[in-house]
């Protein structure tokens, strides 16, 4: 679907809409409605099962979003978390310098420094995209954090965290004590991060408040035990730097093993495979729409030693978009926070020597992936719009309908209550024809519908009664008892889990 | 347990700790560790099942925390959301005026206006609680919202929402269209709210960032159909205004029906009962520790027509503390946002006439209740510390132990994996004696432990094998198969659900 069509559909169905919509909205802020909120929670749980579930030494925590100034000073965000910004003296509009330059530079702007961007802007005959004036300012660094007075005394400042990762670094020392005093130790956070984007756009893609799911794995670079053999033969669609920076766009499938042969560390490639399988097998993105896009020395953040972005091709946004990444951050983060806090964050290894652990980060944009699930999953087949969500991600498990409102409503409510009491979600719907109700459930991706009818009531007890089960994708129908339905729905909701890194048989 | 002892235990066990602990923390900000985060999520899900589950026309949404200035201007928060604050000219400390006055006024400060507080402070010989100086300022109104520059242009401001309720009012119009165009319509939000408290204290009780679970029910005051008979005989521990303001502290049990006879509306009393049952039957607080504390005309917020706070007696905090409330807000909120946004928020009733719906609000402090669950549930029995959490709230379902690390670890991992694949959480633990492992699980409130031993391995297949199941509270032990354990754990996790307002048999 096209961008406008997709957003309109999601809005109409109560999946999401702009915050403060009745006030005209607020740039870069969105609210999730009932179906969107439930889908988002399911995506988060799927992420947690897949990433935190990788090891008994990986933990999920829920830290706060507000950070005192000392933290963002130490992390470097106060100084460096900026975008070059350009303003128009005539109309007063503000733009990201990259956005303006992109229009004039077909080869793109990736990897340019703010200084280079400034130079290029002066060489090009750039005009204000808003009013056409040439009175554009030179680019100035604009800090993307939201900061505010904290406390009543004045003079103290705090910031909304610009990435959830910082919360995990702050928690490392505590979690070392809560855990087994052993590496690798994983700390995962699903939560909000905030950025004062100069030009928010594309709904869930450049937001000012967004949800990240990030796992920080703290490890000893001399020894990261993992079952690489289970990943070695996986073909990964990669676009490595030499081909990439030469302008190619199509990834090449090469095995995980071959990436190690080319010099990438096993632990890094293992996590590339793990995340790739999450996109392909859990979220079920078509594998031909995924590419692992390597960032070059000049493009990646200076603390990243290796970075591959996971990009997925989305029709609504006209091409490949970054939905996640794997970063090897070295010991940058813990060394900055050791210095900033004055607390030694090194740990004692079994042999007695001390080590400042390195960090392997997997990052995942929850909102972006909700959008991607809509873009890739919502398909129109003739009159019919179906959201082909995996059943464990769907906002609900089953729609329950009375065939005739008058005769079958009480019985349908019994089925709904019984399903809910068994811990399975269920949506009652009695309005409009059965066809219309199917259509509503299809559009929200609900994988099953069950209709209570005359035949249902012929059997004497709830246990012996059957109703018509209809599958979303195949449209096949069958009679099913309540018990069998409950069991089927329970199974459909179990989240895919990985083989564990430690333990296991 | 005493306050210090309880906080130390929760911190040590990784339930919660101050944000940026390695930097000395930040006043009023806390992080949840693995067990705390999971417990908090379970409390949230229990709330949603109990409150959103009340009707098919009640919806849970997930709106953003950042609100544009126009919203908080319309809601009155920009002007009125203030606490009177006093500062010390000598030491520079800042205090809530109430806090200072409380020390000098045994009858308390409830119900005093800021002006009255100012007068009383000048009449009393008050001193700075920090340095003892008498150089205290007159109270000035201090706005409790965190506000910041929003966007790159300058001049635009946004605020962290001071209550989740505002997000539901903003969503009303959209949800009217998403829903069935019928009242009562419920919109529930579980999410963060933020207040720049002058003097944060008591860990989870006066926080600067906290989680609320709030349900706003929009209804027609002329007709709120609900099954009052199901609530009429419930004895409620109430402390109504005349006795209360005369200084009494002990509630009197009186039936829901008798409160209606005294003039409270049925719909209001119905929700008092519903929330009371949540505290008593779902969270399982002892009923002798709960009281429904009516607020007088001068005490409650001016937009509330009726307000009862739900207070629970907590040893760690030295008395009754507010953990939730039921508010009848009239049409204040929708009329303010109609005026502020210029959008008519009235709806067409079935007869054709238009109505600005009234709002019944239930509010619930998630963090406060996590603390209350710890205060009321964590008990010491000789050497043993047990957290008596209801099984559906516990941070995990079962601990799985190999009796001997070497011989039984592989089998124990098989059980863990099988339980997790069946969608039941499970914690592997092999360190220390079985007694120590029991103690760790007891302290985190995990209701079951299962130990894999020699007998387990005697049976040929996973299906026929048994392990020793031990119950947290009774300490009883029995042999159990994996299938029976899975079924028992599934049942233990099903959340209590109410009879529905609409539908049902």
């Amino acid at each position: 679907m096209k961008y406008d069509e997709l957003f309109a559909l999601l809005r109409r169905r109560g999946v999401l809409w702009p915050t403060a919509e009745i006030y005209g909205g607020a740039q870069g802020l969105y609210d999730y409605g009932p179906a969107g909120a439930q889908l988002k929670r399911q995506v988060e749980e799927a992420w947690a099962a897949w990433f935190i579930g990788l090891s008994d030494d990986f933990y999920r925590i829920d830290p706060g979003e507000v950070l005192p100034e000392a933290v963002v000073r130490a992390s470097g965000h106060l100084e460096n978390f900026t975008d070059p910004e350009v303003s128009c003296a005539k109309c007063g509009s503000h733009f990201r310098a990259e956005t303006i330059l992109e229009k004039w530079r077909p080869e793109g702007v990736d990897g340019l420094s703010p200084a280079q961007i400034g130079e290029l802007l002066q060489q090009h005959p750039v005009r204000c995209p808003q009013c056409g004036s040439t009175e554009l300012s030179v680019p100035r660094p604009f800090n993307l954090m939201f900061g505010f007075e904290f406390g009543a005394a004045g003079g103290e400042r705090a910031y909304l965290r610009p990435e959830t990762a910082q919360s995990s670094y702050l928690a490392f020392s505590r979690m070392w004590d809560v855990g087994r005093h052993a590496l690798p130790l994983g700390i995962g956070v699903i939560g909000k991060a905030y950025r004062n984007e100069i030009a928010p756009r594309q709904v869930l893609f450049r937001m000012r408040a967004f949800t990240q799911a990030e796992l920080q794995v703290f490890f000893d670079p001399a020894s990261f035990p993992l079952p690489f053999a289970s990943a070695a033969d996986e073909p990964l669609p990669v676009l490595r730097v030499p081909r990439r920076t030469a302008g190619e766009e199509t990834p090449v499938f090469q095995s995980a093993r071959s990436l190690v042969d080319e010099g990438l560390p096993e632990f890094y490639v293992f996590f590339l495979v793990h995340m790739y399988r999450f996109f392909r097998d859990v979220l079920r993105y078509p594998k031909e729409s995924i590419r692992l896009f390597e960032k070059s020395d000049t493009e990646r953040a200076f603390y990243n030693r290796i970075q591959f972005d996971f990009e997925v091709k989305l029709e609504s946004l006209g091409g490949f978009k970054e939905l996640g990444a794997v970063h090897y951050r070295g010991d940058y983060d813990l060394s900055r926070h050791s210095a900033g806090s004055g607390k030694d964050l090194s740990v004692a290894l079994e042999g007695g020597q001390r080590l400042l652990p390195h960090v392997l980060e997997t990052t995942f944009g929850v909102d972006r992936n909700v959008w991607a699930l809509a873009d890739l999953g919502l398909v129109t087949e003739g009159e019919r719009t179906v959201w082909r969500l995996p059943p464990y991600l769907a906002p609900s498990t089953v729609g329950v309908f009375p065939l005739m409102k008058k005769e079958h409503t009480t019985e349908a409510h019994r089925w709904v209550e019984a399903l809910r009491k068994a811990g399975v979600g269920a949506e009652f719907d009695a309005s409009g024809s059965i066809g219309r109700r199917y259509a509503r459930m299809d559009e929200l991706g609900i994988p099953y519908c069950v209709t209570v009818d005359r035949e249902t009531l012929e059997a004497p007890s709830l246990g012996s009664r059957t109703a018509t089960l209809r599958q979303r994708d195949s449209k096949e129908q069958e009679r099913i008892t309540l018990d069998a339905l409950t069991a089927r729905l329970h199974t459909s909701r179990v989240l895919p889990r990985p083989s564990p890194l430690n333990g296991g048989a």
Side-chain angles (χ1 to χ4, degrees), chain A residues 15 34-50 277-285 364 366 369-374 376-377 387-398 441 443-448 472 489-496:
Chain A
V15 175
Q38 187 61 43
L39 167 60
K40 178 167 177 269
R41 276 197 297 280
Q42 297 297 125
V43 171
E44 291 172 358
E45 292 310 310
W47 180 88
W50 192 253
R277 288 175 176 166
F278 185 66
F279 281 104
R280 186 193 60 188
D281 302 338
V282 182
L283 303 181
R284 298 194 190 159
Y285 296 155
F364 176 80
V366 177
N369 280 279
V370 166
W371 182 271
L373 284 164
L376 294 165
W387 196 345
R388 298 198 183 281
L389 285 170
Y392 43 81
L393 296 184
S396 185
T397 49
V398 66
M441 298 292 153
E443 236 178 57
L444 290 176
I446 295 171
Y448 299 103
R472 179 193 66 201
L489 296 177
H490 262 305
T491 305
S492 78
R493 296 299 269 186
V494 172
L495 297 167

Coordinates of all heavy atoms in Angstrom, one line a residue, chain A residues 15 34-50 277-285 364 366 369-374 376-377 387-398 441 443-448 472 489-496:
Chain A
V15 N -5.7 1.8 15.1 CA -4.4 1.2 15.3 C -3.4 2.3 15.9 O -2.8 2.1 16.9 CB -3.8 0.6 14.1 CG1 -2.4 0.1 14.3 CG2 -4.7 -0.6 13.6
P34 N -6.5 0.7 20.5 CA -6.6 -0.7 21.1 C -5.8 -1.7 20.3 O -5.0 -2.5 20.9 CB -8.1 -1.0 21.1 CG -8.7 0.4 21.1 CD -7.8 1.3 20.3
A35 N -6.1 -1.8 19.0 CA -5.4 -2.9 18.2 C -3.9 -2.6 18.1 O -3.1 -3.6 18.3 CB -6.0 -3.0 16.9
G36 N -3.5 -1.4 17.9 CA -2.1 -1.0 17.8 C -1.4 -1.3 19.1 O -0.3 -1.8 19.1
A37 N -2.0 -1.0 20.3 CA -1.3 -1.2 21.5 C -1.1 -2.6 21.8 O 0.0 -3.1 22.3 CB -2.2 -0.5 22.7
Q38 N -2.1 -3.5 21.4 CA -2.0 -4.9 21.7 C -0.9 -5.5 20.8 O -0.1 -6.3 21.2 CB -3.3 -5.6 21.5 CG -3.3 -7.0 21.9 CD -3.0 -7.3 23.4 OE1 -3.5 -6.5 24.3 NE2 -2.1 -8.2 23.7
L39 N -0.9 -5.1 19.5 CA 0.1 -5.6 18.5 C 1.5 -5.2 19.0 O 2.4 -6.0 19.0 CB -0.2 -5.0 17.2 CG 0.9 -5.1 16.1 CD1 1.2 -6.6 15.8 CD2 0.4 -4.4 14.8
K40 N 1.6 -3.9 19.4 CA 2.9 -3.5 19.9 C 3.4 -4.3 21.1 O 4.5 -4.7 21.2 CB 2.8 -2.0 20.3 CG 4.1 -1.3 20.8 CD 3.9 0.2 20.8 CE 5.2 0.8 21.4 NZ 5.1 1.0 22.9
R41 N 2.5 -4.6 22.0 CA 2.9 -5.4 23.2 C 3.3 -6.8 22.7 O 4.2 -7.4 23.3 CB 1.7 -5.5 24.2 CG 1.6 -4.3 25.2 CD 0.8 -4.7 26.4 NE -0.6 -5.0 26.0 CZ -1.5 -4.0 25.8 NH1 -1.2 -2.7 25.8 NH2 -2.7 -4.4 25.4
Q42 N 2.6 -7.4 21.8 CA 3.0 -8.7 21.3 C 4.3 -8.7 20.6 O 5.1 -9.6 20.8 CB 1.9 -9.2 20.3 CG 0.5 -9.4 20.9 CD 0.5 -10.5 22.0 OE1 0.0 -10.2 23.1 NE2 1.0 -11.6 21.7
V43 N 4.6 -7.6 19.8 CA 5.9 -7.5 19.2 C 7.0 -7.4 20.3 O 8.1 -8.1 20.2 CB 6.0 -6.3 18.3 CG1 7.4 -6.0 17.8 CG2 5.0 -6.5 17.1
E44 N 6.7 -6.7 21.4 CA 7.7 -6.5 22.5 C 7.9 -7.9 23.1 O 9.1 -8.3 23.4 CB 7.2 -5.5 23.5 CG 7.2 -4.1 22.9 CD 6.5 -3.0 23.8 OE1 6.0 -3.4 24.9 OE2 6.5 -1.9 23.4
E45 N 6.8 -8.6 23.4 CA 7.0 -9.9 24.0 C 7.7 -10.9 23.1 O 8.5 -11.7 23.6 CB 5.6 -10.5 24.4 CG 4.9 -9.7 25.6 CD 5.8 -9.5 26.8 OE1 6.4 -10.4 27.3 OE2 5.9 -8.3 27.2
A46 N 7.5 -10.8 21.8 CA 8.2 -11.7 20.9 C 9.7 -11.4 20.9 O 10.5 -12.2 20.9 CB 7.6 -11.5 19.5
W47 N 10.0 -10.1 21.0 CA 11.4 -9.7 21.0 C 12.0 -10.2 22.3 O 13.1 -10.8 22.3 CB 11.5 -8.1 21.0 CG 12.9 -7.7 21.0 CD1 13.8 -7.5 20.0 CD2 13.7 -7.4 22.2 NE1 15.0 -7.1 20.4 CE2 15.0 -7.0 21.8 CE3 13.4 -7.4 23.6 CZ2 16.0 -6.6 22.7 CZ3 14.4 -7.0 24.5 CH2 15.7 -6.7 24.0
A48 N 11.3 -10.0 23.4 CA 11.9 -10.5 24.7 C 12.1 -12.0 24.7 O 13.2 -12.5 25.1 CB 11.0 -10.1 25.8
A49 N 11.1 -12.8 24.2 CA 11.3 -14.2 24.2 C 12.5 -14.6 23.3 O 13.3 -15.5 23.7 CB 10.0 -14.9 23.6
W50 N 12.7 -13.9 22.2 CA 13.8 -14.2 21.3 C 15.2 -13.8 21.7 O 16.2 -14.5 21.6 CB 13.5 -13.7 19.9 CG 14.3 -14.2 18.8 CD1 15.4 -13.6 18.1 CD2 14.3 -15.5 18.2 NE1 15.9 -14.4 17.2 CE2 15.3 -15.6 17.3 CE3 13.5 -16.6 18.5 CZ2 15.5 -16.8 16.5 CZ3 13.7 -17.8 17.7 CH2 14.7 -17.9 16.8
R277 N 17.2 -14.1 11.9 CA 16.2 -15.1 12.1 C 15.0 -14.5 12.8 O 13.9 -15.0 12.5 CB 16.8 -16.3 12.9 CG 17.7 -17.2 12.1 CD 18.4 -18.2 13.0 NE 19.2 -19.1 12.2 CZ 20.1 -20.0 12.7 NH1 20.3 -20.1 14.0 NH2 20.9 -20.7 11.8
F278 N 15.2 -13.5 13.6 CA 14.1 -12.8 14.2 C 13.2 -12.2 13.1 O 12.0 -12.3 13.1 CB 14.5 -11.8 15.3 CG 13.4 -11.2 16.0 CD1 12.6 -11.9 16.9 CD2 13.1 -9.8 15.9 CE1 11.6 -11.3 17.6 CE2 12.1 -9.2 16.6 CZ 11.3 -10.0 17.4
F279 N 13.9 -11.5 12.2 CA 13.1 -10.8 11.2 C 12.4 -11.8 10.2 O 11.3 -11.6 9.9 CB 14.0 -9.9 10.3 CG 14.3 -8.6 11.0 CD1 15.5 -8.3 11.6 CD2 13.4 -7.6 11.0 CE1 15.8 -7.1 12.2 CE2 13.6 -6.3 11.6 CZ 14.8 -6.1 12.2
R280 N 13.1 -12.9 9.9 CA 12.6 -13.8 8.9 C 11.6 -14.8 9.5 O 10.6 -15.1 8.9 CB 13.8 -14.6 8.3 CG 13.4 -15.5 7.1 CD 14.5 -16.4 6.7 NE 14.9 -17.3 7.8 CZ 16.0 -18.1 7.9 NH1 16.8 -18.1 6.8 NH2 16.3 -18.8 8.9
D281 N 12.0 -15.4 10.7 CA 11.2 -16.5 11.2 C 10.2 -16.1 12.3 O 9.2 -16.8 12.4 CB 12.2 -17.5 11.9 CG 13.2 -18.1 10.9 OD1 12.9 -18.0 9.7 OD2 14.2 -18.5 11.3
V282 N 10.4 -15.0 13.0 CA 9.5 -14.6 14.0 C 8.6 -13.5 13.5 O 7.3 -13.7 13.5 CB 10.2 -14.1 15.3 CG1 9.2 -13.7 16.4 CG2 11.2 -15.2 15.8
L283 N 9.1 -12.4 13.0 CA 8.2 -11.4 12.4 C 7.8 -11.8 11.0 O 6.8 -11.3 10.5 CB 9.0 -10.1 12.3 CG 9.5 -9.5 13.6 CD1 10.2 -8.2 13.4 CD2 8.4 -9.4 14.6
R284 N 8.4 -12.8 10.4 CA 8.1 -13.4 9.1 C 8.1 -12.4 8.0 O 7.2 -12.3 7.1 CB 6.7 -14.1 9.2 CG 6.7 -15.3 10.1 CD 5.5 -16.1 10.0 NE 5.4 -17.1 11.0 CZ 4.2 -17.7 11.4 NH1 3.1 -17.5 10.7 NH2 4.2 -18.6 12.4
Y285 N 9.1 -11.5 8.0 CA 9.4 -10.6 6.8 C 9.9 -11.5 5.7 O 10.7 -12.4 5.9 CB 10.4 -9.5 7.1 CG 9.9 -8.6 8.2 CD1 10.9 -7.9 9.0 CD2 8.6 -8.3 8.4 CE1 10.5 -7.0 9.9 CE2 8.2 -7.4 9.4 CZ 9.1 -6.7 10.1 OH 8.7 -5.8 11.1
F364 N 16.5 -2.4 18.2 CA 15.3 -2.8 17.4 C 14.3 -1.7 17.6 O 14.0 -1.4 18.8 CB 14.8 -4.2 17.9 CG 13.6 -4.6 17.3 CD1 13.6 -5.2 16.0 CD2 12.3 -4.5 18.0 CE1 12.4 -5.7 15.5 CE2 11.2 -5.0 17.4 CZ 11.2 -5.6 16.2
V366 N 10.7 -0.6 17.8 CA 9.4 -1.3 18.0 C 8.4 -0.6 17.1 O 7.7 -1.3 16.3 CB 9.0 -1.3 19.4 CG1 7.6 -1.9 19.5 CG2 9.9 -2.1 20.3
N369 N 8.9 -1.3 13.4 CA 8.5 -2.7 13.0 C 7.0 -2.9 13.0 O 6.5 -3.7 12.3 CB 9.2 -3.7 13.9 CG 10.7 -3.9 13.4 OD1 10.9 -4.6 12.5 ND2 11.6 -3.2 14.0
V370 N 6.3 -2.1 13.9 CA 4.8 -2.2 13.8 C 4.4 -1.7 12.4 O 3.5 -2.3 11.7 CB 4.2 -1.3 14.9 CG1 2.7 -1.1 14.7 CG2 4.4 -2.0 16.3
W371 N 5.0 -0.6 12.0 CA 4.7 0.0 10.7 C 5.1 -1.1 9.6 O 4.3 -1.3 8.6 CB 5.5 1.3 10.5 CG 5.2 1.9 9.1 CD1 5.8 1.7 7.9 CD2 4.1 2.8 8.8 NE1 5.2 2.4 6.9 CE2 4.1 3.1 7.5 CE3 3.1 3.4 9.6 CZ2 3.2 3.9 6.8 CZ3 2.2 4.3 9.0 CH2 2.3 4.5 7.6
A372 N 6.3 -1.7 9.7 CA 6.7 -2.6 8.7 C 5.7 -3.8 8.6 O 5.4 -4.3 7.6 CB 8.1 -3.1 9.0
L373 N 5.3 -4.3 9.8 CA 4.3 -5.4 9.8 C 3.0 -5.0 9.1 O 2.4 -5.8 8.4 CB 4.0 -5.8 11.2 CG 5.1 -6.6 12.0 CD1 4.8 -6.6 13.5 CD2 5.1 -8.0 11.5
A374 N 2.7 -3.7 9.2 CA 1.5 -3.3 8.4 C 1.8 -3.2 6.9 O 1.0 -3.6 6.1 CB 1.0 -1.9 9.0
L376 N 4.1 -4.7 5.1 CA 4.3 -6.0 4.5 C 3.2 -7.0 4.6 O 3.0 -7.9 3.8 CB 5.6 -6.7 5.1 CG 6.9 -5.9 4.8 CD1 8.0 -6.4 5.7 CD2 7.3 -6.1 3.3
G377 N 2.4 -6.8 5.7 CA 1.3 -7.8 5.9 C 0.0 -7.4 5.4 O -0.9 -8.3 5.2
W387 N -4.8 -8.6 7.0 CA -3.4 -8.3 7.6 C -2.9 -9.7 8.0 O -3.3 -10.3 9.0 CB -3.6 -7.4 8.8 CG -2.3 -6.8 9.3 CD1 -1.1 -7.1 9.0 CD2 -2.2 -5.7 10.2 NE1 -0.2 -6.3 9.6 CE2 -0.8 -5.4 10.3 CE3 -3.1 -4.9 10.9 CZ2 -0.3 -4.4 11.2 CZ3 -2.7 -3.9 11.7 CH2 -1.3 -3.6 11.8
R388 N -1.9 -10.1 7.3 CA -1.3 -11.4 7.5 C -0.3 -11.4 8.6 O 0.9 -11.7 8.4 CB -0.7 -12.0 6.2 CG -1.7 -12.1 5.1 CD -1.1 -13.0 4.0 NE -2.1 -13.1 2.8 CZ -3.2 -13.9 2.8 NH1 -3.4 -14.7 3.9 NH2 -4.0 -13.9 1.8
L389 N -0.7 -11.2 9.8 CA 0.1 -11.2 11.0 C 0.3 -12.7 11.4 O -0.6 -13.4 11.5 CB -0.5 -10.4 12.1 CG -0.5 -8.9 12.0 CD1 -1.3 -8.3 13.2 CD2 1.0 -8.4 12.1
P390 N 1.6 -13.0 11.9 CA 1.7 -14.3 12.6 C 0.7 -14.3 13.8 O 0.5 -13.3 14.4 CB 3.1 -14.3 13.1 CG 3.8 -13.3 12.2 CD 2.8 -12.2 11.8
P391 N 0.1 -15.5 14.0 CA -1.0 -15.5 15.0 C -0.5 -15.1 16.4 O -1.3 -14.5 17.2 CB -1.4 -17.0 15.1 CG -0.5 -17.7 14.2 CD 0.2 -16.8 13.3
Y392 N 0.8 -15.2 16.8 CA 1.2 -14.8 18.1 C 1.5 -13.3 18.2 O 1.7 -12.8 19.2 CB 2.5 -15.6 18.5 CG 3.5 -15.7 17.4 CD1 4.4 -14.7 17.1 CD2 3.6 -16.9 16.7 CE1 5.3 -14.8 16.1 CE2 4.5 -17.0 15.6 CZ 5.4 -16.0 15.3 OH 6.2 -16.1 14.3
L393 N 1.4 -12.6 17.0 CA 1.5 -11.2 17.1 C 0.2 -10.5 17.0 O 0.1 -9.3 17.3 CB 2.4 -10.7 15.9 CG 3.9 -11.1 15.9 CD1 4.6 -10.4 14.8 CD2 4.6 -10.8 17.3
A394 N -0.8 -11.2 16.6 CA -2.1 -10.5 16.3 C -2.7 -9.9 17.5 O -2.4 -10.3 18.7 CB -3.1 -11.6 15.8
P395 N -3.4 -8.7 17.4 CA -3.9 -8.0 18.5 C -4.9 -8.8 19.3 O -5.2 -8.5 20.5 CB -4.6 -6.7 17.9 CG -4.6 -6.9 16.4 CD -3.6 -8.0 16.1
S396 N -5.6 -9.8 18.7 CA -6.4 -10.7 19.5 C -6.3 -12.1 18.9 O -5.9 -12.2 17.7 CB -7.8 -10.2 19.7 OG -8.5 -11.0 20.5
T397 N -6.8 -13.1 19.6 CA -6.7 -14.4 19.1 C -7.8 -14.9 18.2 O -7.6 -15.6 17.2 CB -6.6 -15.4 20.2 OG1 -7.7 -15.1 21.1 CG2 -5.3 -15.3 21.0
V398 N -9.0 -14.4 18.5 CA -10.2 -14.9 17.9 C -11.4 -13.9 18.0 O -11.5 -13.3 19.0 CB -10.6 -16.3 18.4 CG1 -11.1 -16.2 19.9 CG2 -11.7 -17.0 17.6
M441 N -12.3 -8.3 11.3 CA -11.2 -9.1 11.9 C -10.0 -9.3 11.0 O -8.9 -9.2 11.4 CB -11.8 -10.5 12.3 CG -12.9 -10.5 13.4 SD -12.4 -9.9 15.0 CE -13.9 -9.2 15.6
E443 N -9.0 -7.3 8.7 CA -8.2 -6.1 8.6 C -7.3 -5.9 9.8 O -6.3 -5.2 9.7 CB -9.2 -4.9 8.4 CG -9.0 -4.1 7.2 CD -10.0 -3.0 7.1 OE1 -10.1 -2.1 8.0 OE2 -10.7 -2.9 6.0
L444 N -7.7 -6.4 10.9 CA -6.9 -6.3 12.1 C -6.0 -7.5 12.3 O -5.2 -7.5 13.3 CB -7.8 -6.1 13.4 CG -8.6 -4.8 13.5 CD1 -9.5 -4.8 14.7 CD2 -7.6 -3.6 13.6
G445 N -6.0 -8.4 11.4 CA -5.0 -9.5 11.5 C -5.4 -10.6 12.5 O -4.6 -11.5 12.8
I446 N -6.6 -10.6 12.9 CA -7.1 -11.6 13.9 C -7.2 -13.0 13.2 O -7.9 -13.0 12.2 CB -8.3 -11.2 14.6 CG1 -7.9 -9.9 15.4 CG2 -8.9 -12.3 15.5 CD1 -9.1 -9.2 16.0
P447 N -6.5 -14.0 13.6 CA -6.3 -15.2 12.7 C -7.5 -16.1 12.7 O -7.5 -16.9 11.7 CB -5.1 -15.9 13.3 CG -5.0 -15.4 14.7 CD -5.6 -14.0 14.8
Y448 N -8.4 -16.1 13.6 CA -9.5 -17.0 13.6 C -10.8 -16.2 13.9 O -10.8 -15.2 14.7 CB -9.3 -18.1 14.7 CG -8.1 -18.9 14.5 CD1 -7.0 -18.7 15.3 CD2 -8.1 -19.9 13.5 CE1 -5.8 -19.5 15.1 CE2 -7.0 -20.7 13.4 CZ -5.8 -20.5 14.2 OH -4.7 -21.3 14.0
R472 N -8.3 -17.1 8.9 CA -8.1 -15.9 8.2 C -7.5 -16.1 6.8 O -8.0 -15.6 5.8 CB -7.2 -14.9 9.0 CG -6.9 -13.6 8.4 CD -5.8 -12.9 9.2 NE -4.5 -13.7 9.0 CZ -3.5 -13.6 9.8 NH1 -3.5 -12.8 10.9 NH2 -2.4 -14.3 9.6
L489 N -6.0 -22.2 20.2 CA -5.6 -20.8 20.4 C -4.4 -20.7 21.3 O -3.5 -19.9 21.0 CB -6.8 -20.0 20.9 CG -8.0 -20.0 20.0 CD1 -9.1 -19.2 20.7 CD2 -7.6 -19.3 18.7
H490 N -4.3 -21.5 22.3 CA -3.2 -21.5 23.2 C -1.9 -21.8 22.4 O -0.9 -21.1 22.5 CB -3.3 -22.5 24.3 CG -3.8 -22.0 25.6 ND1 -3.2 -20.9 26.3 CD2 -4.9 -22.3 26.4 CE1 -3.9 -20.6 27.4 NE2 -4.9 -21.4 27.5
T491 N -1.9 -22.8 21.6 CA -0.8 -23.2 20.8 C -0.4 -22.0 19.8 O 0.8 -21.7 19.6 CB -1.1 -24.4 20.0 OG1 -1.5 -25.4 20.9 CG2 0.2 -24.9 19.2
S492 N -1.4 -21.4 19.3 CA -1.2 -20.3 18.3 C -0.5 -19.1 18.9 O 0.1 -18.3 18.2 CB -2.5 -19.9 17.6 OG -3.2 -19.0 18.4
R493 N -0.6 -19.0 20.2 CA 0.0 -17.8 20.9 C 1.4 -18.0 21.4 O 2.0 -17.1 22.0 CB -0.9 -17.3 22.0 CG -2.3 -16.9 21.5 CD -2.2 -15.7 20.6 NE -2.3 -14.4 21.3 CZ -2.3 -13.2 20.7 NH1 -2.3 -13.2 19.4 NH2 -2.4 -12.1 21.4
V494 N 1.9 -19.3 21.4 CA 3.2 -19.5 22.0 C 4.3 -18.8 21.1 O 4.3 -19.0 19.9 CB 3.5 -21.0 22.1 CG1 4.9 -21.3 22.5 CG2 2.5 -21.6 23.1
L495 N 5.1 -18.0 21.8 CA 6.1 -17.3 21.0 C 7.3 -18.1 20.6 O 7.7 -19.0 21.4 CB 6.6 -16.1 21.9 CG 5.5 -15.1 22.2 CD1 6.0 -14.1 23.3 CD2 5.1 -14.3 21.0
P496 N 7.8 -18.0 19.4 CA 9.0 -18.7 19.1 C 10.2 -18.4 20.0 O 10.4 -17.2 20.4 CB 9.3 -18.2 17.6 CG 8.0 -17.6 17.2 CD 7.4 -17.1 18.4

